[in-house]
Amino acid sequence: MAATLAAEQPEAATPSPEPDSPTEEAAAPSAYGQCANSNAKTVAYIKEANVWLWVQGSQSLALTDSGDVVDLKISADGCRVAYSRQLPNPNYDPNAEGFSGDSYTELWVVSSDGSGNQALVSWDFLSGLPAADAETTLSVHRYQWQPGSHTLAVGTRAVTFGLALNDDIHLVDANGAAINTLLPAGQGGQFYFSPDGSRIAFSTPESINVLNSDGSDQQLELVTFPMVIIYW
């Protein structure tokens, strides 16, 4: 049984694009590497802007030490922890007209024993997605584990004034980092997996829609309504 706890964050540390090796508060017990042991009570949490893992009966283990973690989610089997990192925006220009934030967010993953720490949705992928203009930076906005798998659904947003959602849905394999664009920009919305992971529901300002997790059998506008704000 795995759970996620995001503690209140301290003042952000200076981001580091490349993480170093994880550090330990105590020697890592074997429980951390036994991903098949789904009966162990496991909690992933953020401490000093890093990913930590606790397994019942063991001491906490630091899985990262980059000091720029802002959110995390643990897979149902407790074997993988997906986390977002706040990094400096390469497109940021304080003297430019308009607004572009000085940071953006990437999606990373690390195994429960501290190995396999890697980027899943990085600057290389984000900068290749369609954007309003060349100066617009895209950032990871939302991500969710597909139940019963090591696959994540990911949506992006523009780094600009307010919340400018890209309304896209991408599927990312946390084991191999392969990315499949399920719905491109403007065709998706805020998404949620069905309990068995076979379907995805997504909402837009005017409708609720459903499709299979492989992109097939799209049932659009199952429910429609006057335009409302659907993000938070």
Side-chain angles (χ1 to χ4, degrees):
M1 177 174 64
T4 298
L5 174 64
E8 182 176 351
Q9 297 303 298
E11 187 173 327
T14 301
S16 172
E18 296 295 335
D20 297 322
S21 301
T23 57
E24 298 184 17
E25 187 172 81
S30 60
Y32 289 107
Q34 296 173 352
C35 301
N37 184 11
S38 58
N39 293 322
K41 292 183 179 179
T42 307
V43 176
Y45 62 97
I46 297 173
K47 175 183 176 182
E48 296 177 348
N50 286 303
V51 177
W52 287 73
L53 192 74
W54 172 85
V55 176
Q56 188 175 31
S58 304
Q59 297 188 56
S60 294
L61 174 72
L63 302 184
T64 70
D65 63 1
S66 58
D68 50 23
V69 177
V70 292
D71 185 45
L72 58 76
K73 291 179 173 63
I74 190 170
S75 60
D77 62 3
C79 184
R80 300 283 190 274
V81 180
Y83 65 97
S84 53
R85 300 178 62 197
Q86 184 171 299
L87 301 172
N89 179 4
N91 288 335
Y92 177 64
D93 180 358
N95 299 316
E97 295 183 3
F99 176 85
S100 179
D102 60 1
S103 64
Y104 76 105
T105 302
E106 291 187 350
L107 180 63
W108 287 62
V109 70
V110 62
S111 296
S112 57
D113 61 358
S115 65
N117 192 21
Q118 63 176 322
L120 295 179
V121 180
S122 67
W123 174 260
D124 288 343
F125 177 77
L126 293 168
S127 61
L129 293 175
D133 52 60
E135 287 72 39
T136 297
T137 297
L138 294 180
S139 177
V140 170
H141 168 63
R142 175 178 172 79
Y143 58 98
Q144 181 184 8
W145 286 104
Q146 180 181 19
S149 78
H150 286 163
T151 296
L152 292 130
V154 182
T156 66
R157 65 177 177 85
V159 178
T160 185
F161 182 78
L163 184 57
L165 301 182
N166 214 28
D167 286 336
D168 50 0
I169 302 177
H170 310 274
L171 295 183
V172 185
D173 179 6
N175 293 327
I179 303 178
N180 174 38
T181 297
L182 200 64
L183 294 173
Q187 296 186 27
Q190 297 288 83
F191 52 82
Y192 305 87
F193 279 106
S194 62
D196 66 359
S198 65
R199 304 276 277 168
I200 297 176
F202 66 94
S203 58
T204 73
E206 297 181 290
S207 66
I208 295 176
N209 314 267
V210 178
L211 74 162
N212 288 340
S213 296
D214 63 3
S216 64
D217 192 22
Q218 295 188 23
Q219 300 177 40
L220 304 180
E221 298 185 343
L222 288 178
V223 180
T224 59
F225 38 78
M227 183 177 288
V228 295
I229 295 176
I230 60 169
Y231 55 80
W232 60 92

